[in-house]
């Protein structure tokens, strides 16, 4: 048997890491001395240690590695590998975009720290009562376009005539991009039948005052538009009268640079002094 120190040399893992893997039930020592707590490993465990090390390089999580070590289902493992390849490819593409953006900043000599915050014009108007096709979904933010496209397809299949561009309400209390609670909405032509399904519905948005502004550019800094509306509401005696929503007037479907995206940010409001 090998002491934890010697075994760490053989598998090129720190003793601290081996203790952690013991705690996680990934690689437990064959013997622990009850008098001094020393851990001992045998040479047959070197293969397991090296498998764990390689799976970590492949970016598998410890819970995933635990399952992999316990299964002999080759087909299942192959599927998991394909899924991880897809995940890493998406991550690699994201890093490529980041690198390209940073390179562009250097070439264009862009000042990363802006001199002042952009200004927004706020408009107050009455939103008339409107019928909408609505679907509330738990989704990854990166898949939002796919869900919007799916909602358009549902409308076409059921001969539901659409009137405008899609909007979204974000129901999460905090930003959770991997599992966001989002309600997608598209205005439709008035119809009498109350058609619905388990994953979408037709409903009515009531008449309401709305404070709105236009955000031009990337969604990354759309928070400034929300802040501008919040400040306007506080300064003009209004309060929220429903969840804010974003309407995507021009986006990825236009095959244009993100700098040309146009999003209308709307806050349903009511005058606090008159309510």
């Amino acid at each position: 048997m090998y002491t934890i120190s010697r075994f760490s040399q053989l598998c090129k893992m720190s003793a601290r890491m081996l203790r952690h893997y013991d705690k996680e039930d990934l690689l437990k020592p064959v013997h622990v001395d009850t008098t001094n707590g020393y851990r001992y490993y045998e040479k047959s465990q070197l293969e397991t240690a090296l498998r764990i090390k390689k799976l970590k390089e492949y970016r598998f999580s410890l819970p995933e590695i635990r399952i992999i070590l316990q299964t002999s289902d080759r087909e299942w493992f192959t599927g998991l590998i394909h899924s991880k390849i897809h995940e890493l490819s998406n991550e690699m593409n994201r890093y490529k975009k980041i690198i390209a953006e940073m390179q562009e900043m250097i070439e264009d000599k862009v000042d990363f720290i802006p001199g002042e915050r952009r200004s927004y014009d706020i408009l107050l108007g009455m939103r008339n009562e409107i019928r909408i096709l609505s679907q509330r979904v738990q989704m990854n933010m990166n898949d939002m376009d796919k869900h919007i496209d799916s909602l358009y397809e549902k409308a076409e299949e059921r001969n539901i005539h659409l009137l405008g561009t899609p909007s979204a309400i974000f129901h999460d209390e905090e930003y959770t991009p991997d599992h966001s609670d989002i309600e997608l909405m598209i205005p439709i032509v008035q119809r009498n039948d109350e058609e619905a399904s388990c994953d979408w519905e037709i409903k009515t948005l009531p008449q309401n005052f709305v404070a709105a502004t236009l955000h031009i550019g990337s969604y990354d800094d759309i928070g400034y538009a929300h802040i501008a509306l919040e400040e306007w509401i506080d300064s003009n005696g209004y309060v929220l009268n429903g969840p804010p929503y974003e309407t995507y007037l021009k986006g990825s479907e236009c095959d244009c640079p993100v700098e040309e995206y146009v999003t209308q940010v709307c806050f349903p409001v009511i005058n606090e002094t008159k309510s």
Side-chain angles (χ1 to χ4, degrees):
M1 289 194 297
Y2 300 108
T3 64
I4 191 171
S5 298
R6 178 56 180 155
F7 192 71
S8 73
Q9 293 175 338
L10 293 173
C11 64
K12 301 295 189 292
M13 289 182 186
S14 67
R16 179 171 171 268
M17 187 61 70
L18 288 171
R19 292 188 183 95
H20 181 63
Y21 289 161
D22 176 14
K23 182 180 178 181
E24 294 291 329
D25 291 328
L26 284 174
L27 183 60
K28 302 191 75 66
V30 293
H31 175 69
V32 179
D33 193 316
T34 56
T35 59
N36 53 31
Y38 288 174
R39 293 170 168 84
Y40 293 92
Y41 298 81
E42 56 185 24
K43 59 183 180 182
S44 63
Q45 291 182 286
L46 179 60
E47 181 181 350
T48 302
L50 295 179
R51 287 185 68 196
I52 293 172
K53 191 174 182 181
K54 182 57 68 176
L55 290 168
K56 283 286 290 178
E57 290 178 8
Y58 292 165
R59 305 293 294 274
F60 284 103
S61 66
L62 294 188
E64 288 173 329
I65 292 173
R66 186 185 304 112
I67 296 172
I68 292 170
L69 294 177
Q70 293 172 351
T71 186
S72 58
D73 188 336
R74 179 71 184 179
E75 184 177 348
W76 173 84
F77 179 62
T78 301
L80 193 63
I81 288 288
H82 281 301
S83 177
K84 183 60 66 174
I85 290 172
H86 179 70
E87 178 184 323
L88 293 176
S89 296
N90 288 339
E91 188 174 348
M92 185 169 63
N93 290 334
R94 184 170 64 86
Y95 282 129
K96 284 181 179 178
K97 290 179 182 178
I98 291 173
I99 292 170
E101 184 178 319
M102 294 170 70
Q103 189 65 41
E104 186 178 341
M105 286 178 59
I106 294 172
E107 294 171 356
D108 295 345
K109 297 180 180 179
V110 175
D111 186 3
F112 181 71
I113 303 175
E116 61 184 45
R117 200 175 86 191
R118 71 169 73 180
S119 61
Y120 289 89
D121 294 325
I122 311 298
L123 298 177
L124 179 67
M126 177 65 74
R127 182 193 67 198
N128 292 326
E129 180 181 283
I130 188 170
R131 296 284 281 169
I132 62 166
L133 178 64
S134 169
Q135 182 180 34
R136 187 165 175 174
V137 189
Q138 298 283 338
M139 70 172 80
N140 186 304
M141 287 288 293
N142 294 328
D143 296 332
M144 189 164 170
D145 283 343
K146 295 178 183 177
H147 287 283
I148 291 175
D149 290 342
S150 175
L151 196 56
Y152 273 95
E153 290 172 3
K154 290 180 174 67
E156 185 175 355
E157 290 169 0
R158 292 159 178 82
N159 199 31
I160 300 173
H161 299 290
L162 305 179
L163 278 178
T165 54
S167 301
I169 297 175
F170 299 88
H171 290 283
D172 295 301
E173 293 184 0
E174 58 186 61
Y175 184 61
T176 53
D178 295 332
H179 196 67
S180 298
D181 183 4
I182 301 175
E183 183 177 357
L184 303 175
M185 307 180 297
I186 306 176
I188 65 171
V189 174
Q190 183 75 29
R191 53 191 289 163
N192 296 323
D193 58 311
E194 296 293 331
E195 187 177 1
S197 78
C198 59
D199 62 344
W200 61 270
E201 64 176 328
I202 292 174
K203 64 182 184 180
T204 301
L205 295 182
Q207 186 182 63
N208 205 350
F209 277 108
V210 172
T213 191
L214 287 181
H215 173 76
I216 312 296
S218 170
Y219 301 131
D220 290 342
D221 53 356
I222 200 171
Y224 287 124
H226 286 255
I227 291 173
L229 281 163
E230 290 170 357
E231 291 175 346
W232 184 92
I233 289 171
D234 289 341
S235 301
N236 289 273
Y238 287 87
V239 293
L240 270 177
N241 190 33
Y245 58 93
E246 298 174 0
T247 301
Y248 305 104
L249 305 177
K250 184 178 179 181
S252 58
E253 78 287 347
C254 297
D255 194 25
C256 60
V258 295
E259 293 80 11
E260 298 179 11
Y261 286 8
V262 181
T263 308
Q264 186 181 51
V265 183
C266 300
F267 280 37
V269 295
I270 187 171
N271 193 312
E272 193 172 27
T273 59
K274 297 180 180 179
S275 61

